[in-house]
Structure formats: structure tokens, C-alpha cells
Amino acid sequence: MAAAAGSFPPSPFMRLSRYFLPILRETPKEAEILSHRLMLRAGMIRQEAAGIYAWLPLGFRVLQKVTQIVREEMDRAGAIELLMPTLQLADLWRESGRYDAYGPEMLRIKDRHERDLLYGPTNEDMITEIFRAYVRSYKELPKNLYHIQWKFRDEQRPRFGVMRGREFLMKDAYSFDLDEAGARRSYQRMFVAYLRIFARMGLKAIPMRAETGPIGGELSHEFIILAETGESGVYCNADILDLPIPAEDVDYDADLEPVIKAWTSLYAATDDVHDQARFERETAPEKRLRKRGIEVGQVFYFGDKYSRPMHAVVAGPDGVERPILGGSYGVGVSRLVGALIEAGHDEAGIIWPESVAPFLIGIANLKVGDPESDAASLKIYDALKKAGIDVLYDDTDERPGGKFARLDLIGLPYQIIVGPKGLAEGKVEVKTRASGARDLITLDDAIARFVA
RNA sequence: CGGGGUAUAGCGCAGCCUGGUAGCGCGGAAGUUUUGGGUACUUCAGGUCGCAGGUUCGAAUCCUGCUGCCCCGACCA
């Protein structure tokens, strides 16, 4: 083939004929919620047990893109990535007092030596253990350590596909500070990082006042995206949807208070903490939004809840040892994939934002085997690949209708449709999935549109 | 964990009431045809009917137990 002779032979696995994309034409009956149906139909996931999924290639690509955005923004905010194990020793949880407190949601396991283990539902205890082993002085603070790891919570009733699975991928970060002022700054850094994370995925995530637990205070927010199929009712001021997102070069060492203030002074709450009187007092009638939302992240300050029982202490400037003050910050990475679909779809299927799309562009060769169509498709494919763009080339010997339906279903942001009809005029069709707009343009223009 | 369903081919389903050689559509393979929004036709492959007992000459079908999965509720990222 012409392509194989070039300097940039197409990666064989990006050609649909050699890819693994098990599309379902009919909707599996077990799937109720839309994102779950679409993920199954688009061949993104396969259920292996209740609330446990295998991520098939297409789904895995999205999961990785989401993961990478989370990672980049965490790093930008000064957090440091590590990786803790999925299995934890029960003794660690006995030390923090959580082993008996956690209940049947925690999956408990015994190893061959009859030692009690558990599949971690979260990692506060372990990170505290790690931290206390090495850090003794206030000079090493503040620190923020995070990892992106699979968790397990043995939900009584898993549902909604990856939106509420038992096994799920989560980013959890943990901050360590000497005093409350520092802890607040750590909290604010994460708050800002979260604004950027969700915005980069094309989502409008609203930080909402959340239950703070036994510690109290105002340092707890859930980040909620609005979707008709959301699990909880939310109330907020419409203006919050138009607030500016901090830029990429935001200075995380500067005072972030003004940003936090802008985002938290407008009313926003989930129904479990909603105060109708206050809502009406603080929000003009035409600004009152009552919607449904999906929680995709939470930031939480918990003070010395773990450091005190686990003796995670550092010496301050005065030489006195004191428990560090901590916070934890979670993002439901696998859940986000479902949430993104809830927020972006139409009758034909998924509509991915460019930043997380499994491929940016799908090329549909409508007449595989026709020399002109093949050559034109490969020319575009090679040019885009060479520019570093993720492209899926549909080189299957299938009818055009099937190809269109499949590309619409899997939701790639752009489709380049190549066939004899257009090529007769030297043109191909570029379709934008979100708007449905189609432009008949020349090959070179099509390439130029994506290659800077 | 309470309540309700359901389990038959990869997916969606019929058959069960009234026991007697396991079917349909989609998908898959081969072919003819077709070719710009899921083309039509022909042929083929594919199931120890969730598992274990029981009743019966004979069980997908009737009975008992178990398990998986789904939905509603409570719970939750």
C-alpha cells in the first residue's frame, strides 16, 4: 500500500479494520441510564460483575485522557503524584479507628496467613502513615500528595454503569499543613485546580456547599455538573455558570482568596444541605436555578482527624510537636467518563469534547477498494497522524450508512467523509459532530483545518 | 439491606400457562446485489434453555433450593 511505503505508515491499530471496537446495535436491557447505554453500545466498557467493568479500548482512551487532564492540573497546582497500593493492611485502619467504623461497604480480605486486608475505598490512613514516617519538621510543609488509583466500595446497589460502580478510578490528593491558615491555602489551591480540571473537559462544574462532618467549618465543597439525569437536586444562582475560570498561568502561590470568594459567595447547594429561605434571600427570583446534578469531585478539610490518632506530628518553629492539619481532595475519574456523556449526547450517540475524545477525528472511507477513495483517505490520515492528531480511520468494507451511524455513536468531534461523489470535484466532507455542520471542501483544506 | 422482577445463541426477545426433536429479529461467516445516512435476497455457523436437586416414560416448560443480574427504596464519589 502507498501508506506503508511512506515515512509515516499509519499505526495499524488506528485503522478500524484492525481495531477492537465492539459496537452494539441494540441496547442491552440492563442499562437504564443514558451514559451507561451509550458506553455499552459504543463498545467502551463491558460489565464483568455488578458495578465492575472492563474498559475496552475506546473507553480506556477516554479514561486516559481524563486522567491526564487531572494529572496536569494537579501538578500545576503543586501536588506531587505517587502511587499507593489497592490492598491495605487492616491494622492501619484499626489504628485510625476506621476499620470498625466503615461498615460493609469495605471489602475485607484475608491472605494465606489469615491476615486481615482490605481493598482500599480511600487512602487517608495510608498517606498519613507514609507522611509521618518521613516528615518531622515544619520546614517540609506544606505538602500535597496525590495518586490516581482504583478503589473499591462494596455498594449495596451499584447502578448507572461507571457512574456508581463498586470498583472505580479516583484521584485522591492529601494536603499537609502546620496551621489552619496554611491548610486553608492548600484547600484553596485544590479548589482552583478543580475549577480548571472540569473546565478543560468542557464541563461547567459548580462548587457547592457540602456537609462538613464533625470538623465543621466551611471548608467542604462538592463539585457538581448539571445534567438532567443527575442523582441529586441542586439549587444555585444562575450567574455562577458565567464566572471566569482561572487561567492556565494562575499563580498558586498568590492569594487565591478573591477567586474562592467569587465562586462561593453566590448561592449553590445540593438538596441535602439546601436552605430555601436563604436561597430566596440571597438570589433574585430570575436567577434561581433548580436543576439536577452529578457530583464529580469534592474538596474537604478534616484537620487532625487522622494525624492525631496516628501521631503524624511535625515540630514547629517553636520546637513543639503538633499533629499536621490535613485535607483530602477527590475526583471521580471513571465516574467523570459517564458524567461527560450525560452532559454531551444526542439521539445519535455521544458527543465528546475535544479534550477527552478518544480520537479527535474519524475518517470514513465510503468506498474502500476504490483507488481514489483509498488514496485520498490515506493522504488525509497520514497528514493528520504526522501532525500528532489522534485519528481513527474507518477502512472497513461496510455500507456508508453503517459508518455514519457508528461514527455518530462513538462521538468523535469531527468526521472526514471521503467518497467518490465528493472526490469527483476533489472534495471531501468535514462534519462537526456537535453541531452537525457539514462542509464540502478540498482535501488540502480539510487537512489545513486541523493541521496548524 | 427491604420490596419487586428476571435468567432461552454475541445483543434484543418468543416458547413455559396446557411437559413430547429449541425458535424469531439483529449481529457473525460465505455469496449475489447494492453503494453518500444502518440495501435486498440466498446459504451457513452458533444454545448441555443460570446452577443443583426433585416429579415424570420424557422437563426450557411443573416443584424445591441456590446463584447472578436488573428496577424501586434506604445508602453513597
Side-chain angles (χ1 to χ4, degrees), chain A residues 52-66:
Chain A
I52 299 177
Y53 297 87
W55 289 77
L56 304 180
L58 194 79
F60 186 49
R61 287 183 69 89
V62 177
L63 190 65
Q64 285 181 305
K65 295 239 176 168
V66 171

Side-chain angles (χ1 to χ4, degrees), chain A residues 265-276:
Chain A
S265 55
L266 295 170
Y267 188 93
T270 55
D271 50 11
D272 48 334
V273 295
H274 176 59
D275 179 343
Q276 184 65 26

Side-chain angles (χ1 to χ4, degrees), chain A residues 35-111:
Chain A
S35 62
H36 190 193
R37 291 182 177 187
L38 287 174
M39 287 182 79
L40 290 167
R41 286 198 54 215
M44 294 179 65
I45 54 170
R46 175 171 178 80
Q47 179 166 326
E48 291 298 335
I52 299 177
Y53 297 87
W55 289 77
L56 304 180
L58 194 79
F60 186 49
R61 287 183 69 89
V62 177
L63 190 65
Q64 285 181 305
K65 295 239 176 168
V66 171
T67 300
Q68 188 55 25
I69 289 176
V70 172
R71 175 176 290 127
E72 287 172 11
E73 293 304 325
M74 291 302 292
D75 290 349
R76 203 191 302 282
I80 305 159
E81 186 172 14
L82 48 67
L83 182 61
M84 291 179 269
T86 54
L87 293 181
Q88 305 185 28
L89 219 43
D91 285 344
L92 192 59
W93 285 62
R94 293 198 175 101
E95 190 180 347
S96 68
R98 289 213 291 174
Y99 191 67
D100 294 324
Y102 215 90
E105 281 196 343
M106 186 154 73
L107 180 63
R108 295 154 207 260
I109 306 167
K110 275 189 195 299
D111 69 9

Side-chain angles (χ1 to χ4, degrees), chain A residues 45 53 79 117 124 172 228 245 257 342 344 353 439 449:
Chain A
I45 54 170
Y53 297 87
L117 298 172
E124 281 88 358
D172 40 326
E228 286 159 32
I245 300 295
E257 188 72 39
E342 293 294 334
D439 300 315
R449 184 152 158 186

Side-chain angles (χ1 to χ4, degrees), chain A residues 61-370:
Chain A
R61 287 183 69 89
V62 177
L63 190 65
Q64 285 181 305
K65 295 239 176 168
V66 171
T67 300
Q68 188 55 25
I69 289 176
V70 172
R71 175 176 290 127
E72 287 172 11
E73 293 304 325
M74 291 302 292
D75 290 349
R76 203 191 302 282
I80 305 159
E81 186 172 14
L82 48 67
L83 182 61
M84 291 179 269
T86 54
L87 293 181
Q88 305 185 28
L89 219 43
D91 285 344
L92 192 59
W93 285 62
R94 293 198 175 101
E95 190 180 347
S96 68
R98 289 213 291 174
Y99 191 67
D100 294 324
Y102 215 90
E105 281 196 343
M106 186 154 73
L107 180 63
R108 295 154 207 260
I109 306 167
K110 275 189 195 299
D111 69 9
R112 66 196 301 167
H113 303 295
E114 292 289 301
R115 273 188 292 252
D116 291 321
L117 298 172
L118 58 98
Y119 196 120
T122 178
N123 286 70
E124 281 88 358
D125 320 79
M126 183 174 284
I127 196 72
T128 302
E129 188 280 325
I130 291 171
F131 183 86
R132 75 175 176 193
Y134 302 110
V135 181
R136 286 273 171 275
S137 162
Y138 76 97
K139 292 178 184 171
E140 298 195 50
L141 299 183
K143 280 279 182 293
N144 184 321
L145 302 173
Y146 78 98
H147 76 341
I148 299 170
Q149 176 64 293
W150 292 92
K151 307 284 193 294
F152 194 90
R153 285 182 200 167
D154 201 356
E155 297 284 349
Q156 293 169 8
R157 192 188 156 203
R159 62 183 126 175
F160 304 149
V162 300
M163 296 268 289
R164 190 178 170 195
R166 291 194 292 172
E167 189 183 46
F168 56 98
L169 188 63
M170 182 173 174
K171 185 283 299 177
D172 40 326
Y174 305 92
S175 66
F176 302 88
D177 280 277
L178 184 68
D179 54 32
E180 282 202 33
R184 173 179 293 270
R185 283 193 294 275
S186 291
Y187 181 92
Q188 292 178 339
R189 277 194 276 270
M190 288 294 98
F191 191 107
V192 169
Y194 276 34
L195 291 175
R196 289 194 41 78
I197 286 172
F198 301 121
R200 278 189 62 185
M201 295 175 196
L203 296 172
K204 293 248 185 206
I206 306 170
M208 299 201 177
R209 194 183 311 280
E211 306 260 20
T212 49
I215 303 295
E218 80 285 20
L219 294 184
S220 177
H221 288 89
E222 292 179 344
F223 284 74
I224 306 272
I225 63 168
L226 301 181
E228 286 159 32
T229 47
E231 73 237 300
S232 46
V234 299
Y235 303 80
C236 69
N237 186 321
D239 288 339
I240 209 163
L241 293 168
D242 300 320
L243 288 175
I245 300 295
E248 186 174 314
D249 61 356
V250 57
D251 181 2
Y252 280 101
D253 291 324
D255 180 14
L256 298 172
E257 188 72 39
V259 180
I260 309 300
K261 193 153 187 172
W263 281 88
T264 55
S265 55
L266 295 170
Y267 188 93
T270 55
D271 50 11
D272 48 334
V273 295
H274 176 59
D275 179 343
Q276 184 65 26
R278 182 172 165 187
F279 185 41
E280 291 176 10
R281 193 167 61 245
E282 297 181 359
T283 314
E286 72 276 12
K287 295 291 187 186
R288 287 175 202 156
L289 282 187
R290 189 187 169 173
K291 300 243 176 197
R292 300 205 62 81
I294 301 168
E295 185 186 341
V296 288
Q298 50 87 26
V299 288
F300 189 75
Y301 171 68
F302 51 67
D304 61 4
K305 178 177 175 185
Y306 301 96
S307 59
R308 190 168 286 279
M310 295 182 69
H311 305 295
V313 298
V314 294
D318 52 6
V320 177
E321 289 191 332
R322 63 203 76 189
I324 61 88
L325 300 179
S328 66
Y329 315 90
V331 170
V333 175
S334 50
R335 152 174 275 223
L336 260 172
V337 178
L340 280 157
I341 295 172
E342 293 294 334
H345 64 264
D346 61 15
E347 317 75 47
I350 302 168
I351 303 172
W352 292 115
E354 292 185 21
S355 58
V356 297
F359 300 94
L360 182 70
I361 301 167
I363 299 173
N365 181 347
L366 297 188
K367 190 158 189 175
V368 173
D370 172 70

